[in-house]
Amino acid sequence: MTTVDNLNFAGKKALVRVDFNVPIDSKTSMITDDARIRATIPTLKKILNDGGACILMSHLGRPLKKLKEDGTVDIEKNTLKKTITTISELLGVSVKFAPDCIGTEALQMAAELKPGEVLLLENLRFYKEEEKGDEAFAGKLSKLGDIYVNDAFGTAHRAHASTSVIAKFFPEAKCFGYVMAKEIANADKVIKHAERPFTAITGGAKVSDKLLILENLIDKVDNLIIGGGMAYTFLKAQGYEVGSSLCEADRLDLCLALLKKATDRGVKMFLPEDSIVADAFSNDANSKECDNKHIDKGWMGLDIGPKAAAEFAAVIKNSKTILWNGPMGVFEMPKFENGTKTTAMAVAEATKNGAFSLIGGGDSAAAVAKFGFENNVSYVSTGGGALLEYFEGKTLPGIAAMLS
Ligand code: AMP
């Protein structure tokens, strides 16, 4: 794998695909979480310290999905200009801005860029050609730089113009940035070189998405823990009453097939024995502990119960490799945070005792951060959907294009 470490950028213009798709407060236009920008800074510093210049390209939101009433793109809402101050502050270099990502002005600004300087291009997704993976559009972008650097793991599962198609215009001058290299190395540590016992923990609410990953994970893991909103579809499939808990009724057969596959492979599957149930999806709802064999009508499981939390924690503490995607309950509400918190503590303890732990997917990362454990796990992925597809066993276009 070629990374920025393998190239010298002196006198070169690096066209860097970054993931600056950061959350922005619609009222104040302020960035509410700059983690994605922060993550890319070492890559950019390496290029600048070599004596190179950086031309940054990214998307922000989905501007073409929500046009203005007159049918045009809402530039003010979706402009990447809003990220300039943060990038400049974090990098310690004042960043120039090209009001279009292609065209004469962008070309001229890129041509005039001197070593040590940084130019940010306007939102790639103002053009439909970006998401379509249009070759001509990728060709126009490619004219802006000498070396293509891909550091956008968050979009590596998309065959877009700037993330994948563009690579062919740089047959001899392309590499991964540190974010990409680190994400791939850490994901591979789990999926390809796991020390045993290997435990995967899945939870959260996007049941059907995660069932796809389980299919592939069952071939790799020793233990599979299923909590959060995921669990109730499995419990229902086994014939239990789940009340008003989250449940995807059209996935029951798939759950049964996965349970059978796990048994056939000798994988230990852990479903929660009990839950904290509530009579409404609210922190103010009435709540109680409940055995998962029968949840009454009108009650919903919003957290794993204390018995489940203790059983899961014991399995986790005995593991050498841990992959965690999805919270064990509605951790955003204090009343239903305990299962996720106990799990986070167990992952931290296992890590302290030498296990490798990878936390993937936005919400698990947010949960680990909420309870103050982000520095007590081995790696927190920035990758959401891309990481999940990697774990499904798919070849990610953003990675494949760089290796061909
Ligand atoms: P995901 O994006 O699939 O990881 O889902 C994360 C979301 O799942 C979080 O916002 C949690 O509040 C939610 N969640 C976790 N457990 C449950 C549950 N038992 N019922 C409903 N939502 C849940």
Side-chain angles (χ1 to χ4, degrees):
M1 190 192 327
T2 310
T3 76
V4 280
D5 278 338
N6 304 111
L7 299 177
N8 188 335
F9 290 86
K12 302 283 185 198
K13 286 174 184 143
L15 181 59
V16 193
R17 178 50 160 107
V18 289
D19 180 4
F20 287 173
N21 184 31
V22 289
I24 293 180
D25 186 308
S26 56
K27 288 198 188 84
T28 62
S29 284
M30 298 293 283
I31 295 174
T32 53
D33 180 0
D34 63 7
R36 285 181 172 161
I37 298 180
R38 207 172 274 279
T40 317
I41 298 300
T43 299
L44 306 182
K45 281 202 169 147
K46 151 72 175 138
I47 295 165
L48 299 177
N49 288 342
D50 271 4
C54 294
I55 298 152
L56 311 179
M57 53 179 178
S58 177
H59 72 284
L60 178 63
R62 314 197 81 181
L64 294 175
K65 288 267 166 336
K66 220 175 171 192
L67 297 172
K68 289 202 293 190
E69 268 174 21
D70 64 2
T72 58
V73 172
D74 191 338
I75 294 178
E76 207 180 314
K77 181 165 175 250
N78 296 290
T79 179
L80 268 165
K81 212 171 183 173
K82 293 177 186 171
T83 63
I84 283 217
T85 313
T86 306
I87 310 169
S88 302
E89 277 171 14
L90 289 172
L91 202 52
V93 173
S94 112
V95 173
K96 298 177 199 289
F97 184 71
D100 196 349
C101 61
I102 52 170
T104 334
E105 193 174 355
L107 274 171
Q108 191 174 341
M109 288 183 87
E112 287 169 1
L113 210 62
K114 297 190 188 62
E117 291 187 337
V118 181
L119 171 68
L120 173 68
L121 306 176
E122 181 57 290
N123 198 340
L124 293 161
R125 287 200 191 161
F126 284 172
Y127 287 88
K128 63 178 183 322
E129 288 84 352
E130 163 63 1
E131 288 189 78
K132 286 199 167 138
D134 184 87
E135 199 164 323
F137 179 68
K140 286 179 193 164
L141 289 171
S142 73
K143 299 269 185 299
L144 298 165
D146 310 308
I147 301 175
Y148 171 62
V149 180
N150 190 344
D151 211 18
F153 186 72
T155 45
H157 55 320
R158 308 278 182 225
H160 292 172
S162 71
T163 58
S164 155
V165 181
I166 193 171
K168 71 172 68 138
F169 294 96
F170 297 89
E172 305 299 331
K174 58 186 176 194
C175 68
F176 290 119
Y178 293 128
V179 175
M180 276 290 257
K182 230 175 8 182
E183 290 278 354
I184 298 168
N186 282 309
D188 283 350
K189 221 166 176 170
V190 165
I191 210 76
K192 296 187 180 154
H193 317 288
E195 254 193 81
R196 303 198 167 271
F198 174 12
T199 299
I201 313 160
T202 56
K206 292 186 205 97
V207 181
S208 11
D209 284 4
K210 306 213 177 154
L211 289 176
L212 294 170
I213 313 164
L214 293 189
E215 177 104 48
N216 192 42
L217 279 180
I218 288 175
D219 288 328
K220 324 250 179 211
V221 300
D222 303 296
N223 305 307
L224 187 53
I225 293 176
I226 298 176
M230 289 280 295
Y232 302 98
T233 306
F234 279 91
L235 292 165
K236 178 86 181 169
Q238 289 178 311
Y240 300 138
E241 284 307 322
V242 297
S244 324
S245 308
L246 191 75
C247 178
E248 291 195 10
D250 57 344
R251 293 291 188 276
L252 302 183
D253 288 343
L254 179 53
C255 287
L256 288 177
L258 289 171
L259 286 164
K260 181 171 182 314
K261 185 173 173 186
T263 312
D264 292 348
R265 298 273 197 283
V267 172
K268 285 197 196 125
M269 194 98 153
F270 295 88
L271 285 162
E273 202 182 317
D274 56 350
S275 288
I276 304 296
V277 295
D279 58 1
F281 190 83
S282 159
N283 196 48
D284 302 323
N286 294 307
S287 64
K288 59 182 182 185
E289 286 175 21
C290 176
D291 191 288
N292 276 347
K293 289 213 164 64
H294 188 100
I295 298 177
D296 283 331
K297 248 190 172 152
W299 291 80
M300 61 186 86
L302 293 186
D303 192 8
I304 54 171
K307 286 185 196 151
E311 186 186 25
F312 291 0
V315 175
I316 292 164
K317 285 180 200 168
N318 268 324
S319 306
K320 280 270 167 259
T321 304
I322 299 160
L323 167 66
W324 185 10
N325 175 274
M328 296 291 99
V330 185
F331 73 98
E332 299 92 334
M333 300 181 193
K335 224 177 201 169
F336 311 109
E337 67 174 22
N338 191 53
T340 305
K341 199 172 176 177
T342 311
T343 302
M345 278 163 69
V347 173
E349 192 176 324
T351 312
K352 199 168 131 209
N353 292 331
F356 179 80
S357 54
L358 174 67
I359 316 299
D363 270 310
S364 334
V368 166
K370 179 179 177 192
F371 303 123
F373 289 110
E374 71 265 53
N375 296 322
N376 303 91
V377 296
S378 308
Y379 189 69
V380 180
S381 169
T382 58
L387 186 78
L388 299 189
E389 288 200 14
Y390 200 62
F391 284 134
E392 271 175 46
K394 289 187 184 159
T395 306
L396 306 188
I399 298 177
M402 299 298 275
L403 302 178
S404 62

